[in-house]
Amino acid sequence: MSLAELSNARARIGGREVLSGVDVRLEAGELVAVVGRNGAGKTSVLRAMLGLLPLTGGVAWLAGDDLARLPERERLARAAYLPQERRIAWNMAAVDIVALAMPLLPDAEAKDRAARVLDDLEGGHLADRGVADMSGGERARVLLARALNAPGQALLLDEPVAGLDPDAQLFVLDRLRREADRGRGVMLSLHDLTLAARVADRIVVMADGRVVADARPATALAPEILRDAFGLNGVWIQTEAGPTLAMGRRSQGA
Amino acid sequence: MTRLTLGLLVGLIAAVLFAVALGETGLTGSQYLAALGNPASDGGVVLWQIRAPRAICAFVVGAALGLSGALLQGLLRNPLADPGVLGVSATAALGAALAIVAGAAALPGAVELAALAGAGIAGVLLTLVASRLSSPEGLILFGVALSSLAGAVTALVFNLSQSPIATAEVMSWLLGSVQNRSWIDVAWVTPALLMAWGLATLSSRGLRLLTLGEEVAATSGLSLGRLRGVVVVAAAVATGSAVAVAGVIGFVGLAAPHLVRGLVRGDPGRLLLPSALAGGLMLVVADLMARLIPTDQELKLGVFTALVGAPLFALIAWRAAREWRS
């Protein structure tokens, strides 16, 4: 049984079809990267899997049950979400933000747990600071800690490394890898194809609301898919750090 | 009870004591003593039938507005939201003005119910717009438009009214005041505040979850539709009853949450009780000052709070814009 799954999912936003018969699944213990050009449907896949984007066709399953019939609390227990949007309405302390992931726990217990998760993400020094006084990177770390702190086994993260420096990107992906190794299912959207190829067990390539590849990285990001889905001429070079994509725009003939 | 709540309660009790003890009518020491022992004495009537219900009325109305402000700011995740800015007060006032001009003021509870209905209509409209707009600025603009429209229709009511007495009555009432309010007014507004408070306590967890946006809240087990309904009903009941008893008193709903937000580390769930207490305290103090400032004609409370509140509103808007520039 998958932790989360879309079967032949269709969805529209403002009259435009953003998902056109999409089949994707997320299993326990795997890290799946969703890649594609801007507007290809990456965020829509994640939102549909969480029930945030209503389907016009097909079914979204969460741990074996039809998402549309699950009560809200059951959704919390099964899946956690990190949106791309990092706006936090109020200048709350970081530890209180992370504790939001466990709304059903008593306050003191939720705070203790939140402090431990922040520590684990090397953000213990941020615990008592207000989020409005933080840098973008620090705020991203706090929001990631909240998502990791949530009880759901399926973790769906929209651009979790966007705007982070290279070291922070590798750190975040390393922690997500660890979550998958511990048995959670992690699905994240990414723009950096090299990073995706290095960390993901499986890559889902989206183009125009369709899945054009869903396979291990070497297959999913083969040169013909890079050409068709991304408009890139690309070659994979094996380096000590892992596969690295050398690429150029097709229109430039590189 | 937190230290903040305790501090606000102590301040509130002190303010109410001052408001009961001080006033235009100077009482001698023996009259104060007589008033304490005999409520029917001259001093007793001044203290217990005039000043005390006025001070308590100011507290309950201020608390209702402070609570409404905290609820609406939390729901809309916007520091500029309050029942005045969003048009809830103006539509409540329109409801009450229509009732007065229609001659329904003689019917017990008619004006109050009309104010509540006006606030309720504003609440429903705001909820509908909020569910379709992701931009907080858009909702504020809608609220400003609603407020202007309600004000324009109220002006139209004056324009078409054939009774100068009713018009003068509405005008005076619209300026906002707790002058000459009795224990009957207190008895009317208090249950409404308690009901709003009961609903508010149900919403505190949801308001906290909304801090990270509606989608995160929805994936954190929150039923957004239910929260919207509870908050809007609570804010409409609180604002409607406050307007019904005291007319339009601006800026308390906006300012009270801001005064205490830093002291609860921004947590919108923990902000509700302190905001209500701060709103009550602000209005008791404002009414005391309006009474004690020597003018030929007593300053209307709504005029006084608007004079103080408008610059505060500009300051809050400025700071909110700066805080999130990053």
Side-chain angles (χ1 to χ4, degrees):
Chain A
M1 181 180 64
S2 302
L3 293 180
E5 186 172 351
L6 292 179
S7 304
N8 194 25
R10 293 182 174 278
R12 304 181 78 84
I13 296 178
R16 188 172 78 93
E17 190 158 72
V18 290
L19 296 179
S20 308
V22 167
D23 291 293
V24 285
R25 65 183 197 291
L26 176 64
E27 308 286 351
E30 68 172 352
L31 193 153
V32 179
V34 184
V35 300
R37 293 176 120 165
N38 289 329
K42 302 185 293 296
T43 298
S44 295
V45 164
L46 299 177
R47 292 179 69 233
M49 290 177 95
L50 289 152
L52 297 171
L53 178 62
L55 299 183
T56 53
V59 186
W61 305 93
L62 211 48
D65 290 311
D66 183 348
L67 182 58
R69 293 184 190 150
L70 277 182
E72 282 92 358
R73 283 192 180 190
E74 210 39 54
R75 295 186 192 187
L76 164 71
R78 299 186 190 195
Y81 179 48
L82 177 69
Q84 200 174 345
E85 164 74 55
R86 290 182 187 156
R87 182 174 176 267
I88 302 174
W90 309 113
N91 190 15
M92 287 168 69
V95 69
D96 291 330
I97 293 290
V98 180
L100 290 175
M102 304 293 279
L104 305 178
L105 280 187
D107 277 1
E109 202 179 329
K111 258 188 160 169
D112 277 352
R113 208 185 130 119
R116 285 201 300 275
V117 175
L118 258 179
D119 257 344
D120 191 46
L121 273 179
E122 298 178 5
H125 61 290
L126 301 173
D128 285 325
R129 275 178 57 193
V131 287
D133 309 322
M134 292 181 182
S135 70
E138 289 171 330
R139 207 177 301 157
R141 192 169 292 217
V142 171
L143 292 173
L144 178 68
R146 186 211 60 86
L148 296 185
N149 189 28
Q153 279 300 294
L155 276 176
L156 296 133
L157 316 160
D158 199 358
E159 305 272 5
V161 298
L164 299 184
D165 64 50
D167 178 59
Q169 292 191 15
L170 293 173
F171 174 79
V172 167
L173 292 173
D174 179 59
R175 289 305 156 110
L176 294 177
R177 176 75 263 168
R178 202 174 69 183
E179 290 295 318
D181 292 343
R182 286 175 177 173
R184 287 176 112 168
V186 180
M187 183 176 271
L188 69 160
S189 63
L190 273 181
H191 272 300
D192 188 324
L193 301 178
T194 295
L195 282 179
R198 287 183 189 175
V199 300
D201 299 308
R202 192 154 58 80
I203 292 184
V204 175
V205 182
M206 299 291 301
D208 297 326
R210 291 189 166 79
V211 175
V212 294
D214 182 352
R216 299 185 68 77
T219 312
L221 296 177
E224 59 274 19
I225 294 176
L226 290 175
R227 186 187 63 220
D228 296 342
F230 293 93
L232 292 172
N233 285 325
V235 180
W236 287 99
I237 302 166
Q238 291 304 321
T239 66
E240 277 182 24
T244 302
L245 179 63
M247 60 184 175
R249 293 183 71 194
R250 285 190 68 213
S251 56
Q252 292 172 329
Chain B
M1 189 182 291
T2 64
R3 275 191 298 181
L4 172 62
T5 307
L6 198 63
L8 284 167
L9 275 176
V10 169
L12 194 57
I13 290 167
V16 169
L17 287 178
F18 271 112
V20 173
L22 302 175
E24 209 176 339
T25 310
L27 297 179
T28 62
S30 58
Q31 281 175 309
Y32 276 118
L33 284 176
L36 292 175
N38 178 14
S41 64
D42 286 350
V45 169
V46 171
L47 261 56
W48 307 123
Q49 298 304 321
I50 297 174
R51 291 183 195 165
R54 177 174 180 157
I56 300 296
C57 208
F59 161 66
V60 181
V61 167
L65 294 172
L67 179 64
S68 284
L71 283 166
L72 291 171
Q73 288 178 14
L75 180 69
L76 303 175
R77 290 176 294 133
N78 192 316
L80 297 181
D82 102 313
V85 176
L86 290 172
V88 184
S89 300
T91 44
L94 171 61
L98 283 171
I100 293 173
V101 171
L107 299 172
V111 175
E112 286 83 352
L113 287 176
L116 273 178
I121 289 169
V124 169
L125 288 173
L126 288 168
T127 312
L128 285 175
V129 173
S131 64
R132 283 163 176 73
L133 273 183
S134 56
S135 142
E137 292 79 11
L139 190 71
I140 293 282
L141 289 176
F142 176 81
V144 170
L146 180 65
S147 189
S148 302
L149 180 66
V153 178
T154 306
L156 182 69
V157 170
F158 290 153
N159 197 173
L160 300 180
S161 167
Q162 292 175 344
S163 161
I165 296 169
T167 306
E169 191 184 338
V170 176
M171 268 306 278
S172 163
W173 174 82
L174 276 181
L175 292 176
S177 174
V178 286
Q179 193 176 12
N180 300 328
R181 297 306 188 268
S182 68
W183 290 114
I184 294 171
D185 295 300
V186 174
W188 155 253
V189 73
T190 304
L193 174 64
L194 292 177
M195 180 188 160
W197 172 247
L199 291 170
T201 56
L202 296 177
S203 68
S204 64
R205 190 180 69 91
L207 294 177
R208 192 175 294 144
L209 285 175
L210 265 183
T211 299
L212 298 180
E214 294 184 358
E215 296 208 326
V216 170
T219 55
S220 301
L222 178 72
S223 167
L224 198 57
R226 179 173 165 271
L227 179 73
R228 277 204 192 103
V230 168
V231 167
V232 166
V233 169
V237 165
T239 307
S241 58
V243 171
V245 165
V248 179
I249 293 174
F251 296 103
V252 174
L254 178 76
H258 285 279
L259 285 180
V260 288
R261 179 166 282 123
L263 302 170
V264 297
R265 301 297 311 269
D267 185 334
R270 283 168 52 212
L271 185 67
L272 301 175
L273 180 59
S275 287
L277 293 175
L281 177 59
M282 281 171 70
L283 215 53
V284 173
V285 172
D287 185 51
L288 182 61
M289 291 172 73
R291 274 200 290 143
L292 295 183
I293 291 172
T295 47
D296 289 342
Q297 180 93 18
E298 184 183 303
L299 280 180
K300 289 283 190 183
L301 185 54
V303 176
F304 186 77
T305 58
L307 284 172
V308 177
L312 189 68
F313 179 78
L315 184 68
I316 289 167
W318 174 256
R319 283 180 51 187
R322 280 171 60 94
E323 188 165 72
W324 288 107
R325 192 170 288 167
S326 61

